[in-house]
Amino acid sequence: MTVLALKNVSKSFGPIQVLHGVDLALEPGEVHALIGENGAGKSTIMKLLGGYLDPTSGEVLLDGQPHRFTSGPQAEAAGIVVIHQEFNLAPDLTVAANIFLGREPGGWRLDHAAMRAQTIALMERLHCRIDPQARIRELSVPDRQMVEIAKALSRKVRVLIMDEPSAVLTHREVGTLYEQIDRLRAEGVAILYCSHRLDEVAHLADRITVLRDGRVVRHALRGELTEDGMATAMVGRELQDFYPPKGNPGSEPALEVRGLSVPGRVRDVSLTLRRGEVLGIAGLVGSGRTELAEGLVGLRAATGKIRVNGQPVRIRDLRDAFAAGLAYLTEDRKEAGLLLEKGLRQNLTLATLERFGTWRLDTRAEDAALDRATQDFDIRAPRRDMVAGKLSGGNQQKLLLAKTMLPDPRIIIIDEPTRGIDVGTKRQIYAFIRKLADEGRSVIVISSEMTEVIGLSDRVLVMREGRLAGEVLGPTMTEENIVRLAMGVGNEPGGEAA
């Protein structure tokens, strides 16, 4: 019997209708994948099922009967648990306190020992070592995701809704996630799995529902849709030439780095980035990729020598980086990239306010900049006055790109360019990155997706344990060679990567 369902559900926000007559049924012991481009309506469906929204029309059915949840916690009490893409954790509380927040054992006199013991058991189940007493703000992004998964597993779950759960996990942690999904499926839990990684969907899903523009365009059973078929159903057209053609970088160095070290994170890295080149940086999570980028642009204290266009530069902070023509697009657009409660204009111009006035901001000039960015980056917003947090993930990423490019940098470092983004928007961003290189700018792309870093890059550097493990290019640029270097099976870490 269906445990949770939507029947002919539509949802509008003011005059904007985002869902149109959606039917969706979740069965016990089944993984049901929900896929679609950003803005297709997936998040709205998850919020309706999780008790955070009411339908404008249609019904939510629980065990076959119409039911109205008044809140997310009420839905959780009925066994419906959501693992949100944006972490729902209290950063100043411990891991154990977050897992049991609102349902602490011991009543008014908290049983801290029981919380710690149960947290340790959950972490052992997930094959990860996270201190129950560690505060959330001290954890890496992948570890925070594992805490979210542990929090869900600690409840008596009937329906588990997972929004991009693997986006920030390492390969090993993804394997552990799959194990837990199989275990929950065997226990009769109904799972709604939302992911932009179509290989995951093909591997995990017993049933697939494809959304486009707020409408269900396809239901399919396991094996009925290939990954290409899923992508075509999502965007309504064939996706040819997903990655743009490789470029033809010049021989002149745009950026030269010698002996760069970030204490405790990166050791003695040397590299050269050529004019018009897209240089990929690969490696496992924790290998030092992001820390290297942050050291280059002054977000972390670093030692070493940096030359831009042959001239030595000293970069102590982002202002120095801007002055040297460097820009950095963070991997975490939610916490470090955008002010989600502020408008599009304020986000776009935040890093370059001096261009728009000193004593008084020229809002007309800011509006003109937003007009150009909206057109150049294809930012799709229902209203100009909306806050950034209301944009889809893909449009948030486009806004962050526009903000990064507003200072007109010649060297751009992009960390995880398409995390949590649908295939259509991915293709747009890939074309944009190649266009930057074709204009003579130089781009460093850091990515955890092997196919992405190979498809985009003219050359790939691989990091391991804070050092460069090697370089792949041309016919050697394969997933196998990158993984061997990242795991320490290939060449030993070397010095400069020319």
Side-chain angles (χ1 to χ4, degrees), residues 6-11 21-22 54-61 66-67:
L6 299 180
K7 182 179 179 182
N8 195 29
V9 164
S10 296
K11 180 64 181 176
V22 170
D54 287 327
T56 302
S57 62
E59 295 178 320
V60 177
L61 305 179
H67 193 90

Side-chain angles (χ1 to χ4, degrees), residues 14 17 23-24 29 31 37 54 59 76 104 143 159 172 176 228 236 294 303 330 359 368 377 386 418 444 447 469:
Q17 187 169 354
D23 291 316
L24 181 75
V31 175
E37 293 190 271
D54 287 327
E59 295 178 320
E76 284 191 1
E104 295 84 351
D143 281 349
V159 177
R172 179 184 61 80
T176 299
D228 285 342
E294 291 176 344
T303 58
T330 176
W359 296 102
F377 294 86
M386 69 188 299
T418 63
I444 294 176
S447 178

Side-chain angles (χ1 to χ4, degrees), residues 248-254 272-276 498:
N248 186 23
S251 58
E252 308 88 352
T272 299
L273 173 67
R274 300 178 179 90
R275 192 165 293 123

Side-chain angles (χ1 to χ4, degrees), residues 204-367:
L204 289 171
D206 302 298
R207 190 182 303 271
I208 300 169
T209 293
V210 186
L211 279 180
R212 190 194 315 144
D213 298 327
R215 292 179 170 85
V216 174
V217 296
R218 183 75 189 269
H219 290 298
L221 298 176
R222 179 191 290 271
E224 291 182 349
L225 279 176
T226 64
E227 292 178 40
D228 285 342
M230 293 180 215
T232 298
M234 286 166 59
V235 301
R237 62 186 183 279
E238 295 289 340
L239 284 175
Q240 302 295 335
D241 302 321
F242 193 55
Y243 293 100
K246 303 282 186 177
N248 186 23
S251 58
E252 308 88 352
L255 174 70
E256 298 167 274
V257 179
R258 298 292 177 265
L260 189 133
S261 295
V262 175
R265 303 286 184 169
V266 176
R267 292 176 291 160
D268 194 28
V269 168
S270 296
L271 61 87
T272 299
L273 173 67
R274 300 178 179 90
R275 192 165 293 123
E277 181 180 34
V278 177
L279 176 64
I281 297 183
L284 303 177
V285 172
S287 62
R289 302 168 306 168
T290 293
E291 291 80 1
L292 171 63
E294 291 176 344
L296 280 171
V297 298
L299 288 173
R300 288 180 181 266
T303 58
K305 296 180 179 180
I306 300 174
R307 299 174 72 91
V308 175
N309 296 324
Q311 300 300 313
V313 296
R314 185 181 181 193
I315 298 177
R316 295 158 296 186
D317 53 33
L318 276 179
R319 189 174 296 274
D320 288 342
F322 286 159
L326 275 72
Y328 173 61
L329 191 149
T330 176
E331 66 174 333
D332 190 350
R333 63 176 176 265
K334 301 285 187 180
E335 289 193 11
L338 298 173
L339 300 175
L340 298 182
E341 299 303 318
K342 297 294 183 181
L344 311 188
R345 173 169 57 82
Q346 292 93 329
N347 272 282
L348 176 67
T349 63
L350 182 63
T352 51
L353 284 177
E354 67 278 1
R355 293 188 175 196
F356 299 93
T358 51
W359 296 102
R360 184 177 181 180
L361 286 177
D362 184 345
T363 55
R364 287 188 179 181
E366 286 188 297
D367 282 333

Side-chain angles (χ1 to χ4, degrees), residues 97-214:
N98 269 277
I99 288 175
F100 294 98
L101 188 62
R103 51 194 185 89
E104 295 84 351
W108 63 271
R109 189 173 182 178
L110 299 185
D111 189 342
H112 292 286
M115 289 167 60
R116 286 194 296 272
Q118 292 179 56
T119 299
I120 290 171
L122 285 166
M123 293 306 166
E124 288 177 349
R125 177 175 170 181
L126 291 171
H127 309 304
C128 62
R129 297 178 180 177
I130 300 176
D131 183 359
Q133 295 301 100
R135 300 195 181 276
I136 294 298
R137 69 169 62 257
E138 300 168 355
L139 301 182
S140 67
V141 172
D143 281 349
R144 294 183 194 188
Q145 182 68 80
M146 297 306 279
V147 173
E148 284 279 21
I149 294 169
K151 187 169 69 170
L153 295 178
S154 72
R155 291 165 161 81
K156 294 181 179 179
V157 183
R158 298 186 66 205
V159 177
L160 181 60
I161 300 170
M162 311 180 85
D163 188 4
E164 298 287 347
S166 68
V168 298
L169 299 182
T170 65
H171 183 75
R172 179 184 61 80
E173 289 165 338
V174 169
T176 299
L177 174 66
Y178 289 177
E179 289 177 12
Q180 298 308 315
I181 288 172
D182 287 340
R183 180 174 176 176
L184 290 167
R185 176 163 40 194
E187 293 172 357
V189 175
I191 299 172
L192 182 67
Y193 195 92
C194 295
S195 177
H196 290 305
R197 295 182 172 179
L198 301 185
D199 57 333
E200 284 188 350
V201 173
H203 175 75
L204 289 171
D206 302 298
R207 190 182 303 271
I208 300 169
T209 293
V210 186
L211 279 180
R212 190 194 315 144
D213 298 327

